[in-house]
Amino acid sequence: MNGIREAGTTPLAPARAQARRVASDVDCTAFVRDVYDQHGPPLVRYATRLLDGDWHKAEDILQETAARAWKHAGFLDAREDHIRPWLFTVARNLVIDHHRARQIRPLELMPVEDLDASWDSTESTITTHVVRKALRELNEQQQTVIRLMYYLEWSVAQAADHLGVPPGTVKSRAFYAVRALRKALEKQGLRAS
């Protein structure tokens, strides 16, 4: 004030702070990329084993593990070997949290046999029996997302809330479930449109 500048401040101070933020963002991006490149595949395999083969959820675990590593990027180095045990511990804890959440709010599954024939809008072409048989070939996760989104006609947001996963995960699961259902129908000699 009055032409007197506080010690240590210059007209360039805001620009320097912005430059530090940009450099920090670049460092964090590189850090997360290194975590994925160096440790991503083994982490997904590890989480998939802990989740009984659910690689979709294992990828979610990897994302959350990377996000937590990013929050601690100042203390961790993605290229060092000492980060790997930390990442595996975080992934294990996230899987434990997932299992606990499912015990508290178990997924309400309807048996495939309980599907109402009215669900099949193409009954003249594909009988309910054929669809049921094809659905039985899908894994539990795929059956669940098809029931929620196509049989119960829930929105992506409703399904995500019910399953406790992000909406993008529901979209991905629905895509792979429909693709698996198409393959199951084609295996039975039917062409799904």
Side-chain angles (χ1 to χ4, degrees), residues 22-53:
V22 169
S24 175
D25 290 345
V26 169
D27 292 344
C28 286
T29 302
F31 175 81
V32 171
R33 188 177 305 119
D34 287 343
V35 167
Y36 272 92
D37 292 345
Q38 301 287 326
H39 310 287
L43 276 170
V44 169
R45 285 192 301 271
Y46 175 69
T48 301
R49 280 194 310 270
L50 295 177
L51 293 162
D52 299 323

Side-chain angles (χ1 to χ4, degrees), residues 53 78 97 136 156:
D97 291 347
R136 280 189 208 104
V156 171

Side-chain angles (χ1 to χ4, degrees), residues 35-89:
V35 167
Y36 272 92
D37 292 345
Q38 301 287 326
H39 310 287
L43 276 170
V44 169
R45 285 192 301 271
Y46 175 69
T48 301
R49 280 194 310 270
L50 295 177
L51 293 162
D52 299 323
D54 184 353
W55 65 271
H56 290 288
K57 185 63 183 170
E59 288 178 340
D60 294 342
I61 296 292
L62 172 61
Q63 284 181 344
E64 182 60 28
T65 302
R68 292 189 182 190
W70 172 73
K71 288 179 183 176
H72 296 91
F75 305 104
L76 300 170
D77 183 357
R79 295 171 193 231
E80 295 292 324
D81 288 336
H82 72 273
I83 190 175
R84 186 170 278 213
W86 186 90
L87 291 169
F88 276 79
T89 300

